[in-house]
Amino acid sequence: MRRCLPWRRLVCGGTCLLRDNGNATSSSASSSSSGSGSFKQTVAEKLEAESQALGRVACYPHRCMTRPVLPVPATQMLTPLFTSKVMELNQLATDLHCVSFSAPKAHWDAAVVLIKGNPDEVQYEVWVNPSVPGYDDRHSVAPMYGMWENCISCGAATAWVIRPQRITCTGFDEHGRAKTQVLDGMRARCLMHEMDHLMGKTILHQTTGPEFVVSTVAMSQRQLWPANFPSAEAYITAPGQFFDYVQNTTVIPPGLEWWYAQSMRDEFGNERIGQ
């Protein structure tokens, strides 16, 4: 799952780089110019790394994305080859700035998922052979969140997907140790999103209907949509928000407050430019 646009990641990365460079003092204009060149080079390297990483992603309907993957045998979880593959998957997800990732996206036929609770977390949480009771139960009475989801394997598509607010997941970590955890909010949604890929599905399969799939450009023009399209709750829910079907209101996921504020600022800025 992807949460932020490439240019916004560039802005965020640039802010971090400027903050880091600010620790070093410069006493001349030449050193300042050198620092600027170094910054540009660093940004160029990051963009080049992301461009190369994008070329390694399997996009739907690639055969890796249309069939269930194989579970990882317990005997393989402790092998150097498996550890190396997990490290490569982690690096690819990092280069792409994804909040979640899974093995099928990297052409790896294995039930391995990486998730974060929010984009600012450094380390990914690894799940091997994850299992969630009642997965894909369309008639569940559990409390639900609706959200506009995007996916690096689905191009410019954004889909309205309804998922449980809280799940219980069992599986293994990257060291082969069994674990069971209760996940909620973004962690639960990211895990369920990637489990779809393990089952050969995408957000295009999990959405309510064809009218609930729109382009990224259309999402930035929501003020031009017909009233209550494609549904009342989807219409009022901005990107980066949940719609709580229990409280019947929109909710900002914990940990994503800053990202949501940035999204709203950019949206208002675009509206002013268009006037």
Side-chain angles (χ1 to χ4, degrees):
M1 183 185 286
R2 218 169 185 186
R3 285 290 161 217
C4 40
L5 298 174
W7 61 266
R8 186 174 300 157
R9 290 199 304 274
L10 175 59
V11 171
C12 298
T15 303
C16 179
L17 289 169
L18 287 173
R19 183 168 60 249
D20 294 340
N21 289 340
N23 295 331
T25 59
S26 59
S27 58
S28 65
S30 60
S31 61
S32 176
S33 175
S34 174
S36 176
S38 176
F39 171 76
K40 292 180 180 179
Q41 181 180 358
T42 301
V43 171
E45 290 174 353
K46 286 181 175 291
L47 291 176
E48 177 63 23
E50 180 174 342
S51 176
Q52 293 181 3
L54 280 171
R56 298 166 54 193
V57 174
C59 294
Y60 182 82
H62 189 285
R63 59 179 177 271
C64 291
M65 307 297 295
T66 57
R67 63 189 182 191
V69 300
L70 297 174
V72 180
T75 55
Q76 290 186 10
M77 294 183 192
L78 301 179
T79 63
L81 178 60
F82 178 77
T83 301
S84 175
K85 295 284 285 185
V86 171
M87 292 176 63
E88 290 178 4
L89 192 70
N90 196 308
Q91 186 60 54
L92 182 57
T94 300
D95 290 342
L96 293 169
H97 306 275
C98 294
V99 293
S100 65
F101 208 69
S102 54
K105 293 179 179 178
H107 306 263
W108 183 18
D109 188 12
V112 180
V113 166
L114 309 179
I115 63 171
K116 289 182 179 180
N118 67 74
D120 291 326
E121 292 181 4
V122 178
Q123 299 295 330
Y124 285 97
E125 182 180 346
V126 181
W127 284 88
V128 183
N129 298 342
S131 176
V132 176
Y135 164 77
D136 208 21
D137 182 1
R138 296 300 181 97
H139 303 288
S140 174
V141 295
M144 296 287 181
Y145 282 143
M147 187 181 195
W148 288 105
E149 289 187 16
N150 54 20
C151 181
I152 196 170
S153 293
C154 294
T158 301
W160 179 258
V161 182
I162 301 173
R163 301 189 189 275
Q165 296 184 11
R166 178 174 295 182
I167 60 174
T168 300
C169 184
T170 59
F172 300 86
D173 64 12
E174 64 270 38
H175 305 294
R177 296 177 296 213
K179 61 178 180 177
T180 299
Q181 291 184 14
V182 176
L183 310 180
D184 57 11
M186 279 302 300
R187 291 177 70 217
R189 179 163 290 267
C190 287
L191 187 99
M192 295 289 280
H193 177 102
E194 300 304 337
M195 279 192 66
D196 289 342
H197 293 307
L198 302 186
M199 302 298 177
K201 301 177 181 179
T202 68
I203 56 175
L204 305 178
H205 300 88
Q206 299 296 64
T207 192
T208 307
E211 68 274 18
F212 288 84
V213 180
V214 300
S215 69
T216 303
V217 174
M219 286 300 298
S220 66
Q221 300 175 346
R222 294 194 329 280
Q223 72 277 10
L224 303 178
W225 293 8
N228 296 329
F229 178 88
S231 67
E233 66 273 22
Y235 180 76
I236 66 172
T237 306
Q241 280 188 329
F242 287 153
F243 182 85
D244 189 334
Y245 282 93
V246 176
Q247 302 295 329
N248 199 35
T249 186
T250 56
V251 178
I252 301 175
L256 289 179
E257 293 86 357
W258 185 88
W259 295 91
Y260 176 75
Q262 285 288 101
S263 177
M264 290 298 97
R265 187 190 70 175
D266 297 334
E267 184 171 331
F268 292 142
N270 291 338
E271 289 184 0
R272 287 197 298 270
I273 292 174
Q275 290 178 352

